[in-house]
Amino acid sequence: QVHLVESGGGLVQAGDSLRLSCAASGRAFSSFAMGWFRQAPGKEREFVAAISRTGYTTYYADSVKGRFTISRDNAKNTVYLQMNSLKPEDTAVYCCAADYGVGSDSARYDYWGQGTQVTVSS
């Protein structure tokens, strides 16, 4: 079992930056690949980014590639999502998730945080 808590969301203007954090407790954090997903009102949950257990491999959705960066600090049991050049269409609840294998399919992730709201005004 692993418990995930996101933080860092907020209301920003288009073009601004935010850094989301996801703190993990429970089982060894370094055992898990981590992902970020988001869900906007009335839309399906979508993949944003994922990172392997070591942090050496990362994956991004095309919509955020070049603007968002996922990273992790295994010593701090935390994964981050640096979001730059934010757009109104990035508005969503952002959730982190943990799984033993890295991927973009939300169905494979066993553990989820509650999410943090990101709102980008135009």
Side-chain angles (χ1 to χ4, degrees):
Q1 191 83 6
V2 62
H3 183 59
L4 304 173
V5 179
E6 302 93 338
S7 61
L11 171 63
V12 297
Q13 294 187 329
D16 285 351
S17 298
L18 275 177
R19 189 176 81 156
L20 305 183
S21 299
C22 172
S25 60
R27 287 189 178 179
F29 179 67
S30 59
S31 299
F32 295 96
M34 300 296 296
W36 284 98
F37 294 81
R38 67 186 182 187
Q39 187 166 20
K43 294 189 176 182
E44 297 282 322
R45 178 186 288 166
E46 66 171 343
F47 168 74
V48 176
I51 189 166
S52 63
R53 287 174 286 180
T54 60
Y56 290 154
T57 304
T58 57
Y59 301 90
Y60 296 95
D62 288 342
S63 59
V64 306
K65 204 170 292 184
R67 299 188 298 123
F68 290 11
T69 302
I70 188 171
S71 62
R72 66 189 295 160
D73 185 337
N74 285 347
K76 295 183 178 180
N77 292 350
T78 303
V79 62
Y80 304 99
L81 186 67
Q82 178 66 44
M83 306 186 295
N84 298 331
S85 302
L86 283 161
K87 304 175 182 180
E89 50 264 44
D90 294 318
T91 295
V93 174
Y94 284 72
C95 294
C96 65
D99 187 56
Y100 291 106
V102 67
S104 61
D105 182 1
S106 63
R108 69 177 299 152
Y109 285 81
D110 294 323
Y111 305 102
W112 291 82
Q114 292 288 82
T116 184
Q117 176 70 46
V118 172
T119 303
V120 185
S121 64
S122 57

